[in-house]
Amino acid sequence: MFNDFLEAQELLKNISKDQSTYEINEALKTIKKHNEDLYLQTLKSFDTSTLANVATITPDHILEDILEHLSITKIAKMVEELESDDATDLIKRFEELNSEKTLAILNRLSSEDKEEILRLKNYDENTAGAYMQTEIFTASIDESIEKAIKRYRILKHSGQVNQIFQIYIIDGNGKLCNSINLSDLLLWDFKLSFADIIKNNSEKYKSYCIKDYEDIQKAIDIVEDYDLSVLAVINDNGVLLGRITYDDIHDLIQENATEQIYNLAGVDADVEEESAFKAAKARAFWLMINLTTSLISANIISLFSGEIEKLVALAVLMPIVASMGGNTGSQALAVTVRKLSLNEVEFKDAKKVILRESGISLLNGLIFAIIMSIIAFIWFKTALLGLVIALSMLINLALAGFVGSFVPLTLKKFKIDPAVGSSVVITAITDGLGFFSFLLLAKMILL
C-alpha cells in the first residue's frame, strides 16, 4: 500500500504532456487515501489542461473537492479547455453537487462557451443532442480542397479544432450533403472542388447522421452497424449541428454495461468510488431486503419442521432445489436484461421471450429432475423421495425461467431499470417456492 503511495507521488511530480489521464486520476485517488493535505496541494498545483482532463473521468467526491478548494476563475478556465460535450457533462455534474457555484462558473465563461453549454444542456438526457460536440470542420460544396485544407491548418494551429475524422460538406444553407474522410481526401487533386468529387461519388461519400432529438440508442446502433468513427447530428431541416465520436459511443456502451452489472448486484457505481463506509451503507439496503426474503424462506421451512424431524433427508436435499431454481432464474434474468439493454426485445415480445425462457428452464428441469431422483434413490434408498425431488425441481426450475424473464420485462414496461432489484425478487421467489414445493410434496407423498 505504501509503495502505491510513493509511486503515485512520483507520477504526479513528473506529469508529462502525454501522460495518461487515467493514470493521473488513479494516482490522485491513491494520494487522497493516504494524505489529505498532500492531495489538496496536488489538486491545486494542476494546470487547467490536466485538471480538465481529470475532471471528466474522476468520481463525484473529487469534483466536490475541486468546487470547494479551487477558485471559480480556475474552474471556469478548466471548463473552457474541454470540448463542448465534455464541458456540458462536467457542468451538469457540478450542478448536481453545488448549483450555486455552478452558476458562478457559468457566468465566468466566455459568452460563446456559456451559450453553447446552455444549449446542449437543454437536450433531454437520452437524446443524441445531449452527447454531441459542436467542434466540427465543414467545407462548402463549392469550395476547393486546397482552400479547405489551408483553412483547417490555421484552425488546427490556433486550437479551434482538435481531432478531425471527416470533413463535412454543406450547402449554402448549412445543410449536410456528404462527408469525406481525411485519408480519402489526399487521393484527389487539391485544385478540385468538393462538388467535383461528389458528382460521381455521392454514395461513396454518403454521410451517416442522426437527428438531435432522436434516442441515443439509435446512434449507438448506427455506429456499431456501419463501423463508424463519427456520426453527424442534424436538425429537422437537415442543418448540421455537431457530431458524436466513437469514444463517446464506447463510453456509453461501457457505462450501460457497468450499470447493469452493478444494478443486478444491488451496488451503486458512484458510491463504490467513495469511502468504504459509504459503500457499505449503500450496499446495506439491498442486503436488508435480502435478509427479509431469507426470513420469509426460513418461515416457510419452519411450517414443515415436524416433517423435517421425521425425515432428515429433507433437510439435506431441500437446499439443492432452491439453489438450482435460483441459478436458473439468474440465467433467464441475465439473458433478458441483456436483450432489453440492446433493444433486441420490447414488452410486445414478452410472450415469446417468457415462453422461450420457461421452455429452456423446463427442459433443464426435466434433465436435472431425472439426475437428482436417481441420486436421491441411491443415497437414501427411497424411491418416493426421488419422485418428490424430481417433481419439485420441475416446478421450481420452470417457474424460475418464467420469473427470470417476466420480472425485467415488467419493470421495463413501467420505465424502471430492469436490472434494479430483479435478482433479489427472483431469489426470494425461487427459494420460497423451492422450499415450499419440496416440503409440501414430501408431506403429501412420503409422510
Side-chain angles (χ1 to χ4, degrees), residues 24-201:
I24 296 171
N25 184 51
E26 289 303 303
L28 190 64
K29 288 193 288 186
T30 300
I31 288 178
K32 181 176 173 63
K33 288 177 184 176
H34 290 83
N35 190 322
E36 187 72 19
D37 291 336
L38 179 60
Y39 156 73
L40 291 175
Q41 183 184 330
T42 305
L43 197 62
K44 291 174 183 177
S45 71
F46 284 161
D47 58 52
T48 52
S49 178
T50 301
L51 195 61
N53 291 329
V54 168
T56 59
I57 65 169
T58 206
D60 285 351
H61 67 280
I62 291 182
L63 287 187
E64 286 176 348
D65 293 333
I66 290 173
L67 286 171
E68 184 178 347
H69 298 284
L70 301 186
S71 70
I72 297 297
T73 302
K74 185 168 185 177
I75 297 173
K77 287 180 180 177
M78 172 191 82
V79 172
E80 289 180 334
E81 290 275 351
L82 297 169
E83 292 179 329
S84 54
D85 57 336
D86 290 331
T88 305
D89 288 341
L90 186 57
I91 286 294
K92 285 179 181 178
R93 291 179 68 194
F94 279 151
E95 205 165 43
E96 290 173 0
L97 299 172
N98 190 322
S99 57
E100 204 172 299
K101 278 197 174 180
T102 304
L103 183 59
I105 294 166
L106 278 169
N107 289 332
R108 290 291 179 92
L109 299 176
S110 68
S111 56
E112 184 181 346
D113 285 335
K114 181 181 177 180
E115 184 182 337
E116 200 65 47
I117 288 171
L118 291 176
R119 184 167 72 86
L120 293 177
K121 267 179 90 265
N122 282 332
Y123 283 106
D124 288 339
E125 186 180 356
N126 293 319
T127 59
Y131 293 90
M132 74 174 176
Q133 57 181 234
T134 55
E135 293 82 4
I136 49 178
F137 184 72
T138 61
S140 168
I141 194 164
D142 296 320
E143 191 175 9
S144 69
I145 298 174
E146 184 178 30
K147 186 177 177 182
I149 288 176
K150 284 181 179 177
R151 192 161 48 82
Y152 170 69
R153 190 180 295 125
I154 294 168
L155 291 172
K156 181 69 174 176
H157 284 314
S158 66
Q160 292 182 58
V161 295
N162 193 4
Q163 192 172 11
I164 298 298
F165 302 98
Q166 294 178 328
I167 292 181
Y168 289 110
I169 315 303
I170 57 174
D171 65 14
N173 297 315
K175 290 184 178 181
L176 178 63
C177 301
N178 297 83
S179 60
I180 303 177
N181 290 332
L182 286 178
S183 57
D184 285 351
L185 205 61
L186 298 175
L187 304 175
W188 294 93
D189 183 348
F190 283 12
K191 299 296 181 184
L192 294 173
S193 71
F194 289 102
D196 295 329
I197 298 173
I198 292 167
K199 185 165 49 180
N200 297 317
N201 297 279

Side-chain angles (χ1 to χ4, degrees), residues 369 373 385-396 437 441 445:
S373 65
L385 183 59
L387 175 64
V388 167
I389 197 167
L391 290 173
S392 182
M393 287 190 78
L394 270 174
I395 293 168
N396 201 28
S437 62
L441 285 168
I445 296 172

Side-chain angles (χ1 to χ4, degrees), residues 72-363:
I72 297 297
T73 302
K74 185 168 185 177
I75 297 173
K77 287 180 180 177
M78 172 191 82
V79 172
E80 289 180 334
E81 290 275 351
L82 297 169
E83 292 179 329
S84 54
D85 57 336
D86 290 331
T88 305
D89 288 341
L90 186 57
I91 286 294
K92 285 179 181 178
R93 291 179 68 194
F94 279 151
E95 205 165 43
E96 290 173 0
L97 299 172
N98 190 322
S99 57
E100 204 172 299
K101 278 197 174 180
T102 304
L103 183 59
I105 294 166
L106 278 169
N107 289 332
R108 290 291 179 92
L109 299 176
S110 68
S111 56
E112 184 181 346
D113 285 335
K114 181 181 177 180
E115 184 182 337
E116 200 65 47
I117 288 171
L118 291 176
R119 184 167 72 86
L120 293 177
K121 267 179 90 265
N122 282 332
Y123 283 106
D124 288 339
E125 186 180 356
N126 293 319
T127 59
Y131 293 90
M132 74 174 176
Q133 57 181 234
T134 55
E135 293 82 4
I136 49 178
F137 184 72
T138 61
S140 168
I141 194 164
D142 296 320
E143 191 175 9
S144 69
I145 298 174
E146 184 178 30
K147 186 177 177 182
I149 288 176
K150 284 181 179 177
R151 192 161 48 82
Y152 170 69
R153 190 180 295 125
I154 294 168
L155 291 172
K156 181 69 174 176
H157 284 314
S158 66
Q160 292 182 58
V161 295
N162 193 4
Q163 192 172 11
I164 298 298
F165 302 98
Q166 294 178 328
I167 292 181
Y168 289 110
I169 315 303
I170 57 174
D171 65 14
N173 297 315
K175 290 184 178 181
L176 178 63
C177 301
N178 297 83
S179 60
I180 303 177
N181 290 332
L182 286 178
S183 57
D184 285 351
L185 205 61
L186 298 175
L187 304 175
W188 294 93
D189 183 348
F190 283 12
K191 299 296 181 184
L192 294 173
S193 71
F194 289 102
D196 295 329
I197 298 173
I198 292 167
K199 185 165 49 180
N200 297 317
N201 297 279
S202 182
E203 189 59 33
K204 181 180 179 181
Y205 296 126
K206 173 184 176 182
S207 185
Y208 292 93
C209 59
I210 187 171
K211 291 183 179 176
D212 57 342
Y213 60 81
E214 290 186 294
D215 196 297
I216 188 61
Q217 184 59 48
K218 183 178 178 182
I220 293 172
D221 293 340
I222 294 172
V223 168
E224 288 185 322
D225 291 345
Y226 295 98
D227 196 22
L228 305 177
S229 57
V230 65
L231 181 66
V233 181
I234 60 174
N235 65 12
D236 269 335
N237 297 319
V239 174
L240 181 64
L241 301 176
R243 64 176 185 168
I244 300 173
T245 54
Y246 180 76
D247 60 324
D248 290 323
I249 296 294
H250 176 268
D251 289 345
L252 276 168
I253 294 169
Q254 192 173 46
E255 283 170 17
N256 289 341
T258 301
E259 186 179 3
Q260 293 294 341
I261 291 168
Y262 276 140
N263 284 341
L264 281 168
V267 174
D268 189 313
D270 292 331
V271 175
E272 287 303 308
E273 292 284 352
E274 301 192 25
S275 67
F277 176 76
K278 287 184 178 179
K281 185 180 176 182
R283 293 187 196 184
F285 171 76
W286 288 107
L287 289 174
M288 180 58 71
I289 293 176
N290 192 61
L291 175 60
T292 303
T293 59
S294 297
L295 288 171
I296 293 170
S297 296
N299 189 53
I300 291 171
I301 294 171
S302 71
L303 295 174
F304 297 92
S305 57
E307 285 74 13
I308 295 171
E309 286 177 10
K310 291 178 185 177
L311 190 58
V312 178
L314 299 180
V316 176
L317 295 175
M318 67 181 182
I320 298 173
V321 179
S323 176
M324 290 294 289
N327 286 330
T328 301
S330 296
Q331 290 173 343
L333 172 65
V335 171
T336 306
V337 167
R338 179 186 178 277
K339 287 181 177 179
L340 287 168
S341 300
L342 297 176
N343 286 335
E344 291 179 4
V345 296
E346 297 178 10
F347 191 76
K348 65 182 180 180
D349 306 307
K351 184 179 178 182
K352 179 183 174 184
V353 174
I354 291 169
L355 285 174
R356 184 178 189 275
E357 291 303 322
S358 298
I360 292 170
S361 301
L362 185 60
L363 182 59

